[in-house]
Protein backbone atom coordinates (compact mmCIF):
# COMPACT_ATOMS: atom_id res chain seq x y z
CA UNK A 1 0.00 0.00 0.00
CA UNK A 2 2.89 2.35 0.83
CA UNK A 3 4.44 1.74 -2.62
CA UNK A 4 1.12 2.56 -4.23
CA UNK A 5 0.84 5.87 -2.37
CA UNK A 6 4.42 6.83 -3.26
CA UNK A 7 3.75 6.03 -6.91
CA UNK A 8 0.68 8.26 -6.89
CA UNK A 9 2.72 11.07 -5.35
CA UNK A 10 5.46 10.74 -7.97
CA UNK A 11 2.96 10.73 -10.83
CA UNK A 12 0.71 13.50 -9.46
CA UNK A 13 1.44 15.83 -12.42
CA UNK A 14 0.63 13.02 -14.85
CA UNK A 15 -2.70 12.50 -13.05
CA UNK A 16 -3.61 16.20 -13.10
CA UNK A 17 -2.65 16.65 -16.75
CA UNK A 18 -4.58 13.50 -17.71
CA UNK A 19 -7.72 14.82 -15.97
CA UNK A 20 -7.39 18.06 -17.91
CA UNK A 21 -6.82 16.23 -21.20
CA UNK A 22 -9.73 13.86 -20.51
CA UNK A 23 -12.13 16.76 -20.00
CA UNK A 24 -10.79 18.59 -23.05
CA UNK A 25 -10.89 15.51 -25.31
CA UNK A 26 -14.59 14.95 -24.72
CA UNK A 27 -15.63 18.20 -26.35
CA UNK A 28 -12.60 19.23 -28.41
CA UNK A 29 -14.64 19.73 -31.60
CA UNK A 30 -17.79 20.93 -29.90
CA UNK A 31 -18.74 24.60 -30.08
CA UNK A 32 -20.29 24.57 -26.62
CA UNK A 33 -17.31 22.71 -25.20
CA UNK A 34 -17.49 21.88 -21.49
CA UNK A 35 -21.05 23.23 -21.23
CA UNK A 36 -22.21 19.82 -22.49
CA UNK A 37 -21.03 18.36 -19.18
CA UNK A 38 -23.78 20.41 -17.55
CA UNK A 39 -26.38 20.33 -20.30
CA UNK A 40 -26.69 16.53 -20.48
CA UNK A 41 -27.59 15.82 -16.83
CA UNK A 42 -29.64 19.00 -16.51
CA UNK A 43 -31.69 18.05 -19.57
CA UNK A 44 -32.42 14.68 -17.98
CA UNK A 45 -33.47 16.32 -14.71
CA UNK A 46 -35.70 18.87 -16.40
CA UNK A 47 -37.42 16.20 -18.51
CA UNK A 48 -38.18 14.13 -15.41
CA UNK A 49 -39.31 17.20 -13.54
CA UNK A 50 -41.61 18.50 -16.27
CA UNK A 51 -43.24 15.10 -16.78
CA UNK A 52 -43.59 13.99 -13.17
CA UNK A 53 -43.95 17.22 -11.18
CA UNK A 54 -47.68 17.41 -11.85
CA UNK A 55 -48.12 13.89 -10.51
CA UNK A 56 -45.96 13.99 -7.39
CA UNK A 57 -45.91 17.65 -6.35
CA UNK A 58 -48.88 17.31 -4.03
CA UNK A 59 -47.33 14.33 -2.28
CA UNK A 60 -44.06 15.93 -1.19
CA UNK A 61 -44.35 17.13 2.41
CA UNK A 62 -42.04 19.76 3.90
CA UNK A 63 -41.42 21.83 0.75
CA UNK A 64 -43.13 25.20 0.36
CA UNK A 65 -42.39 25.88 -3.29
CA UNK A 66 -44.50 25.32 -6.39
CA UNK A 67 -41.45 23.78 -8.04
CA UNK A 68 -40.96 21.45 -5.09
CA UNK A 69 -40.63 18.28 -7.06
CA UNK A 70 -38.09 19.77 -9.47
CA UNK A 71 -35.93 20.85 -6.52
CA UNK A 72 -36.24 17.45 -4.87
CA UNK A 73 -35.35 15.64 -8.08
CA UNK A 74 -32.34 17.82 -8.87
CA UNK A 75 -30.92 17.33 -5.36
CA UNK A 76 -31.16 13.55 -5.58
CA UNK A 77 -29.89 13.46 -9.15
CA UNK A 78 -26.77 15.39 -8.17
CA UNK A 79 -25.62 12.54 -5.92
CA UNK A 80 -26.84 9.73 -8.15
CA UNK A 81 -25.08 11.15 -11.25
CA UNK A 82 -21.73 11.14 -9.44
CA UNK A 83 -22.30 7.62 -8.10
CA UNK A 84 -23.56 6.14 -11.37
CA UNK A 85 -21.10 7.76 -13.78
CA UNK A 86 -18.09 6.98 -11.57
CA UNK A 87 -19.00 3.29 -11.44
CA UNK A 88 -19.69 3.12 -15.17
CA UNK A 89 -16.40 4.83 -16.03
CA UNK A 90 -14.47 2.54 -13.67
CA UNK A 91 -16.19 -0.50 -15.17
CA UNK A 92 -14.39 -0.11 -18.49
CA UNK A 93 -11.36 1.83 -17.36
CA UNK A 94 -8.79 -0.95 -17.80
CA UNK A 95 -10.29 -2.31 -21.02
CA UNK A 96 -10.52 1.15 -22.58
CA UNK A 97 -6.90 1.88 -21.63
CA UNK A 98 -5.58 -1.54 -22.60
CA UNK A 99 -3.28 -0.22 -25.34
CA UNK A 100 -1.93 2.49 -23.08
CA UNK A 101 -1.19 -0.04 -20.35
CA UNK A 102 0.69 -2.24 -22.84
CA UNK A 103 2.77 0.57 -24.36
CA UNK A 104 3.55 2.82 -21.39
CA UNK A 105 5.11 2.05 -18.04
CA UNK A 106 3.23 3.95 -15.33
CA UNK A 107 1.48 3.04 -12.07
CA UNK A 108 -1.87 1.48 -13.00
CA UNK A 109 -3.49 3.05 -9.93
CA UNK A 110 -3.28 6.40 -11.76
CA UNK A 111 -6.15 5.35 -14.05
CA UNK A 112 -8.90 5.18 -11.38
CA UNK A 113 -7.57 8.38 -9.82
CA UNK A 114 -7.84 10.16 -13.18
CA UNK A 115 -11.41 8.90 -13.46
CA UNK A 116 -12.23 10.09 -9.94
CA UNK A 117 -10.79 13.54 -10.68
CA UNK A 118 -12.71 13.85 -13.93
CA UNK A 119 -15.98 12.81 -12.30
CA UNK A 120 -15.43 15.24 -9.42
CA UNK A 121 -14.88 18.20 -11.75
CA UNK A 122 -17.95 17.27 -13.78
CA UNK A 123 -20.09 16.94 -10.67
CA UNK A 124 -18.95 20.29 -9.29
CA UNK A 125 -19.93 21.97 -12.57
CA UNK A 126 -23.33 20.29 -12.31
CA UNK A 127 -23.64 21.52 -8.72
CA UNK A 128 -23.02 25.11 -9.85
CA UNK A 129 -25.65 24.72 -12.58
CA UNK A 130 -28.16 23.31 -10.08
CA UNK A 131 -27.56 26.21 -7.71
CA UNK A 132 -28.30 28.52 -10.64
CA UNK A 133 -31.56 26.70 -11.40
CA UNK A 134 -32.50 26.73 -7.70
CA UNK A 135 -32.06 30.51 -7.64
CA UNK A 136 -34.15 30.87 -10.80
CA UNK A 137 -36.94 28.84 -9.14
CA UNK A 138 -36.82 30.99 -6.00
CA UNK A 139 -35.18 28.44 -3.70
CA UNK A 140 -31.98 29.27 -1.83
CA UNK A 141 -30.38 26.45 0.24
CA UNK A 142 -29.47 27.45 3.80
CA UNK A 143 -26.33 26.73 5.85
CA UNK A 144 -27.03 23.00 5.79
CA UNK A 145 -25.71 23.02 2.22
CA UNK A 146 -22.22 23.39 3.70
CA UNK A 147 -22.35 19.63 4.40
CA UNK A 148 -22.36 18.95 0.65
CA UNK A 149 -18.56 18.45 0.32
CA UNK A 150 -18.76 15.60 2.86
CA UNK A 151 -21.65 13.98 0.98
CA UNK A 152 -19.81 14.33 -2.34
CA UNK A 153 -16.61 12.85 -0.87
CA UNK A 154 -18.54 9.91 0.60
CA UNK A 155 -20.36 9.30 -2.70
CA UNK A 156 -17.08 9.32 -4.61
CA UNK A 157 -15.39 6.97 -2.12
CA UNK A 158 -18.25 4.50 -2.28
CA UNK A 159 -18.46 4.63 -6.08
CA UNK A 160 -14.69 4.22 -6.46
CA UNK A 161 -14.71 1.19 -4.17
CA UNK A 162 -17.50 -0.50 -6.11
CA UNK A 163 -16.24 0.64 -9.51
CA UNK A 164 -12.64 -0.45 -8.99
CA UNK A 165 -13.66 -3.99 -7.98
CA UNK A 166 -16.03 -4.23 -10.97
CA UNK A 167 -13.42 -2.75 -13.32
CA UNK A 168 -10.86 -5.40 -12.34
CA UNK A 169 -13.40 -8.24 -12.56
CA UNK A 170 -14.56 -6.96 -15.96
CA UNK A 171 -11.06 -7.55 -17.38
CA UNK A 172 -11.30 -11.27 -16.65
CA UNK A 173 -15.10 -11.75 -16.94
CA UNK A 174 -16.57 -9.54 -19.67
CA UNK A 175 -20.12 -10.48 -18.68
CA UNK A 176 -19.69 -8.09 -15.76
CA UNK A 177 -19.82 -5.20 -18.22
CA UNK A 178 -23.22 -6.37 -19.47
CA UNK A 179 -24.75 -7.09 -16.07
CA UNK A 180 -23.77 -3.91 -14.22
CA UNK A 181 -25.86 -1.44 -16.32
CA UNK A 182 -28.96 -3.57 -15.70
CA UNK A 183 -28.27 -3.73 -11.96
CA UNK A 184 -27.63 0.01 -11.82
CA UNK A 185 -30.92 0.72 -13.57
CA UNK A 186 -32.78 -1.43 -11.05
CA UNK A 187 -30.90 0.20 -8.18
CA UNK A 188 -31.90 3.66 -9.41
CA UNK A 189 -35.59 2.85 -9.19
CA UNK A 190 -35.20 1.03 -5.86
CA UNK A 191 -33.61 4.14 -4.34
CA UNK A 192 -35.95 7.05 -3.47
CA UNK A 193 -34.51 9.63 -5.88
CA UNK A 194 -37.36 10.43 -8.27
CA UNK A 195 -39.99 9.78 -5.60
CA UNK A 196 -40.27 10.31 -1.86
CA UNK A 197 -40.25 7.24 0.36
CA UNK A 198 -43.18 8.76 2.28
CA UNK A 199 -45.54 8.28 -0.67
CA UNK A 200 -45.01 4.52 -0.63
CA UNK A 201 -47.37 2.21 1.30
CA UNK A 202 -46.23 2.08 4.93
CA UNK A 203 -45.62 -1.67 4.74
CA UNK A 204 -43.00 -1.14 2.01
CA UNK A 205 -41.23 1.95 3.39
CA UNK A 206 -39.01 0.00 5.81
CA UNK A 207 -37.75 -2.18 2.97
CA UNK A 208 -36.80 0.80 0.83
CA UNK A 209 -35.09 2.43 3.85
CA UNK A 210 -32.91 -0.67 4.20
CA UNK A 211 -31.29 0.24 0.88
CA UNK A 212 -27.77 1.39 1.96
CA UNK A 213 -27.90 4.20 -0.62
CA UNK A 214 -31.11 5.65 0.81
CA UNK A 215 -29.50 7.74 3.61
CA UNK A 216 -26.86 9.07 1.21
CA UNK A 217 -29.18 10.48 -1.43
CA UNK A 218 -31.85 11.44 1.12
CA UNK A 219 -29.13 13.54 2.79
CA UNK A 220 -28.52 15.43 -0.47
CA UNK A 221 -32.25 16.23 -0.50
CA UNK A 222 -32.20 17.13 3.21
CA UNK A 223 -29.45 19.73 2.93
CA UNK A 224 -30.41 21.19 -0.45
CA UNK A 225 -34.20 21.16 -0.30
CA UNK A 226 -35.52 20.68 3.25
CA UNK A 227 -32.77 22.60 5.11
CA UNK A 228 -32.25 19.73 7.55
CA UNK A 229 -28.98 17.95 8.51
CA UNK A 230 -27.77 14.80 6.76
CA UNK A 231 -28.68 11.42 8.27
CA UNK A 232 -25.45 11.25 10.24
CA UNK A 233 -25.95 7.95 12.07
CA UNK A 234 -26.73 6.01 8.90
CA UNK A 235 -23.99 7.84 7.00
CA UNK A 236 -21.49 6.84 9.68
CA UNK A 237 -22.10 3.17 8.93
CA UNK A 238 -21.98 3.88 5.21
CA UNK A 239 -18.63 5.66 5.64
CA UNK A 240 -17.16 2.61 7.40
CA UNK A 241 -18.50 0.38 4.62
CA UNK A 242 -17.02 2.70 1.96
CA UNK A 243 -13.58 2.66 3.62
CA UNK A 244 -13.67 -1.14 3.93
CA UNK A 245 -14.82 -1.50 0.34
CA UNK A 246 -12.09 0.84 -0.89
CA UNK A 247 -9.41 -1.16 0.95
CA UNK A 248 -10.75 -4.41 -0.49
CA UNK A 249 -10.80 -2.82 -3.96
CA UNK A 250 -7.15 -1.75 -3.65
CA UNK A 251 -6.12 -5.23 -2.54
CA UNK A 252 -8.03 -6.84 -5.43
CA UNK A 253 -6.48 -4.35 -7.85
CA UNK A 254 -2.96 -4.91 -6.52
CA UNK A 255 -3.27 -8.69 -6.73
CA UNK A 256 -4.77 -8.67 -10.25
CA UNK A 257 -2.62 -5.86 -11.69
CA UNK A 258 0.28 -8.05 -12.97
CA UNK A 259 -2.14 -10.32 -14.89
CA UNK A 260 -4.43 -7.65 -16.31
CA UNK A 261 -2.19 -6.67 -19.24
CA UNK A 262 -2.07 -10.30 -20.40
CA UNK A 263 -5.86 -10.57 -20.19
CA UNK A 264 -6.49 -7.39 -22.19
Amino acid sequence: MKDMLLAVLRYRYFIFSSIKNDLRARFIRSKLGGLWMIIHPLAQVLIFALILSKILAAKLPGIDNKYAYSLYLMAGTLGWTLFFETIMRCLGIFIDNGNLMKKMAFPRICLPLITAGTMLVTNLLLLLAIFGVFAALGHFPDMQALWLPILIALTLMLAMGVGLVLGVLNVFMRDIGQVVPVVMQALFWLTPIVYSVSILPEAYQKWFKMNPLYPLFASYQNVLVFGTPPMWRELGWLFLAAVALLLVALMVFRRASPEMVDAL
Side-chain angles (χ1 to χ4, degrees):
M1 193 67 71
K2 182 181 176 182
D3 295 340
M4 200 178 289
L5 293 175
L6 289 175
V8 170
L9 191 60
R10 281 199 305 272
Y11 280 79
R12 60 188 181 281
Y13 297 114
F14 169 72
I15 295 171
F16 290 138
S17 64
S18 297
I19 292 171
K20 185 178 178 181
N21 292 336
D22 190 13
L23 292 170
R24 183 183 296 168
R26 290 189 189 186
F27 311 104
I28 193 167
R29 294 186 179 178
S30 167
K31 291 185 178 179
L32 292 181
L35 285 177
W36 286 113
M37 290 189 292
I38 299 172
I39 293 173
H40 285 160
L42 266 183
Q44 182 184 5
V45 166
L46 290 175
I47 289 170
F48 272 118
L50 289 173
I51 294 175
L52 299 178
S53 60
K54 298 295 183 183
I55 301 172
L56 296 177
K59 299 179 181 179
L60 286 175
I63 309 177
D64 185 19
N65 188 302
K66 64 179 180 179
Y67 301 106
Y69 180 68
S70 300
L71 302 173
Y72 180 87
L73 182 59
M74 279 188 277
T77 302
L78 176 67
W80 174 261
T81 300
L82 178 61
F83 181 74
F84 173 77
E85 291 193 354
T86 301
I87 290 179
M88 296 308 294
R89 285 290 300 272
C90 286
L91 184 62
I93 187 173
F94 301 115
I95 296 175
D96 295 341
N97 292 282
N99 289 332
L100 184 65
M101 292 170 66
K102 292 175 182 176
K103 295 176 181 177
M104 282 186 62
F106 66 97
R108 307 293 187 248
I109 193 63
C110 290
L111 291 175
L113 292 177
I114 292 168
T115 296
T118 304
M119 291 298 98
L120 184 60
V121 171
T122 305
N123 198 248
L124 291 178
L125 289 173
L126 176 60
L127 174 62
L128 290 176
I130 285 178
F131 274 139
V133 175
F134 273 25
L137 298 181
H139 179 77
F140 298 93
D142 61 15
M143 297 295 287
Q144 297 294 341
L146 294 176
W147 296 119
L148 266 180
I150 295 178
L151 298 179
I152 291 173
L154 179 56
T155 306
L156 193 59
M157 281 178 56
L158 189 63
M160 287 302 298
V162 174
L164 190 52
V165 171
L166 293 174
V168 172
L169 293 177
N170 195 31
V171 173
F172 303 99
M173 295 179 288
R174 300 300 172 92
D175 288 344
I176 297 288
Q178 305 300 322
V179 171
V180 171
V182 178
V183 173
M184 292 298 291
Q185 188 174 16
L187 191 59
F188 174 75
W189 289 106
L190 290 174
T191 306
I193 294 173
V194 300
Y195 55 88
S196 170
V197 73
S198 62
I199 69 169
L200 299 172
E202 195 169 339
Y204 295 107
Q205 290 185 16
K206 62 179 180 180
W207 297 108
F208 278 77
K209 289 180 179 178
M210 291 175 67
N211 181 341
L213 295 178
Y214 165 70
L216 180 58
F217 300 125
S219 293
Y220 275 88
Q221 292 155 341
N222 282 357
V223 302
L224 283 174
V225 180
F226 299 107
T228 56
M231 302 169 69
W232 288 123
R233 187 168 64 87
E234 293 84 351
L235 291 182
W237 289 110
L238 192 62
F239 172 75
L240 294 177
V243 171
L245 190 58
L246 205 51
L247 291 175
V248 169
L250 290 174
M251 287 190 288
V252 169
F253 167 77
R254 187 174 184 180
R255 175 164 293 189
S257 187
E259 301 174 10
M260 277 199 293
V261 174
D262 296 330
L264 289 169

